[in-house]
Amino acid sequence: MLISIHLPKTAGSSFASSLNEHFGKALLKDYKDLPLHHSSLNRNKHAIIQSSFNYFRDFDNIQCIHGHFLPLKYRFHKVEKDFKYVTWLREPAERLASQYFYMKRHYSHEKAITQPLLKRIVEEKWSLERFCLGPELRNTYSKFLWGFPTKKIDFIGIVENYDNELNFFSETFLKNNALSPYKQNINPTTNNQSYFSDNPKLKSRITQYHAKDYKLYKAAIELAYKQGRLTNTPPYL
C-alpha cells in the first residue's frame, strides 16, 4: 500500500496523474480534508480521529492513496500490509509564492464557501509578503507532518529534480514500471524563474521565518545526494 502525501504546490497534481495512469481503480484520491483551511487544533484532532477509523480498515482493493491529508491519518494499521509513505518537497519560499498566486488565480465564490483561507486571502487583499510571513502558513511542511516522524517517510522527492526523482521512484517502489511524466498546474508567467528575483530581502525573511521547513527540505536534499538521485544543486539555494 502506497500512501502519497500531496503537499500544496509540490507537483502533487502531476504526480497524481502518473499514479492514476499506473494504479487506475486501485488509486484512492483523498482531498476531503483541506488541512490548511482549518486551525491547528481542528486539523490535528481530525487526523487523530480518522486514524482510529483507518486502523481497522482493510482498504479492500486499494493499492495507493494520494491527496491533501496529514499522514497521521493513515499511520496506524491493524491489517498486515506493507505500507510505504511518499511525498515531495520544494524550496519553501518558492512553494509559498507559487501557492499564493495559484490561489488567487483559481479563486471563486463557490470555493471560498468551503475554503476560509482562500476567502481571507482574496477578500482581505493579502500581499505576497502577508501570505508568506503570516502565522496561517508558517512551516507548512511541518503542519502536514504533525504527529508523523519524517524517518517513517520512505521517499521524499525533490521537485526541482522532478524527472530524475520520478524515475527513481518508479524503479524503487513500482518494480521498474516507469511512470509517465505530467506537467500540471504550472504558473505560465514565471518561465521557471524565482519569484523573488527582484526582492531578495523578502526571500531572506521568509527563509528565517520558515526555518523548520527549510531544515526538512535541506535534509531531503542531503539524502538525495547520498542516494545519487541529485547531482546538481537545486536552484534558489
Side-chain angles (χ1 to χ4, degrees):
M1 169 74 78
L2 188 69
I3 308 294
S4 172
I5 306 103
H6 178 181
L7 301 171
K9 301 308 295 176
T10 59
S13 296
S14 301
F15 191 50
S17 294
S18 299
L19 293 174
N20 185 62
E21 182 178 294
H22 178 81
F23 288 104
K25 294 182 179 180
L27 170 67
L28 171 64
K29 294 183 180 180
D30 183 356
Y31 283 94
K32 300 184 295 293
D33 293 356
L34 300 174
L36 294 180
H37 293 276
H38 302 281
S39 68
S40 295
L41 177 61
N42 289 335
R43 177 174 58 243
N44 297 343
K45 182 171 68 173
H46 175 77
I48 293 172
I49 293 171
Q50 290 299 308
S51 71
S52 64
F53 289 127
N54 287 323
Y55 175 79
F56 296 99
R57 190 173 175 182
D58 60 16
F59 295 101
D60 298 322
N61 296 318
I62 297 171
Q63 298 177 24
C64 179
I65 301 174
H66 173 86
H68 288 317
F69 50 79
L70 272 62
L72 175 62
K73 181 177 182 178
Y74 297 104
R75 179 178 177 180
F76 303 107
H77 319 280
K78 184 178 181 179
V79 298
E80 294 184 2
K81 284 190 177 184
D82 184 20
F83 285 83
K84 300 290 185 182
Y85 299 87
V86 304
T87 194
W88 295 77
L89 297 186
R90 178 180 180 181
E91 201 282 338
E94 301 295 332
R95 190 211 66 77
L96 277 164
S98 179
Q99 184 181 4
Y100 171 75
F101 290 110
Y102 175 84
M103 294 179 80
K104 291 188 68 175
R105 288 198 310 274
H106 293 272
Y107 173 85
S108 70
H109 291 292
E110 291 76 17
K111 287 183 178 180
I113 293 173
T114 58
Q115 299 181 27
L117 180 62
L118 175 63
K119 179 181 176 69
R120 291 185 62 195
I121 290 167
V122 174
E123 296 186 4
E124 296 177 13
K125 298 180 180 179
W126 286 12
S127 65
L128 176 60
E129 180 176 344
R130 166 66 180 88
F131 182 88
C132 293
L133 296 177
E136 296 84 358
L137 293 157
R138 188 177 190 182
N139 293 311
T140 295
Y141 296 152
S142 301
K143 291 182 187 298
F144 265 80
L145 298 178
W146 180 83
F148 196 93
T150 53
K151 65 182 180 181
K152 285 186 65 66
I153 303 177
D154 300 277
F155 171 79
I156 301 179
I158 306 300
V159 171
E160 291 84 357
N161 191 43
Y162 188 76
D163 289 343
N164 289 337
E165 299 286 65
L166 191 66
N167 289 334
F168 178 88
F169 172 83
S170 300
E171 294 169 1
T172 307
F173 296 93
L174 301 180
K175 300 179 180 178
N176 288 317
N177 290 314
L179 292 178
S180 300
Y182 290 84
K183 304 292 182 183
Q184 296 177 221
N185 291 340
I186 297 174
N187 189 334
T189 66
T190 60
N191 195 28
N192 204 33
Q193 299 298 311
S194 171
Y195 285 98
F196 303 95
S197 297
D198 299 326
N199 198 345
K201 290 185 178 180
L202 176 57
K203 172 70 176 292
S204 178
R205 292 172 63 196
I206 294 170
T207 301
Q208 296 177 30
Y209 191 68
H210 296 267
K212 287 184 179 180
D213 276 6
Y214 271 96
K215 183 178 180 180
L216 288 171
Y217 178 67
K218 290 180 179 180
I221 287 178
E222 290 176 2
L223 179 59
Y225 272 120
K226 289 180 181 178
Q227 295 180 338
R229 294 154 37 201
L230 195 64
T231 56
N232 298 315
T233 302
Y236 320 131
L237 285 184

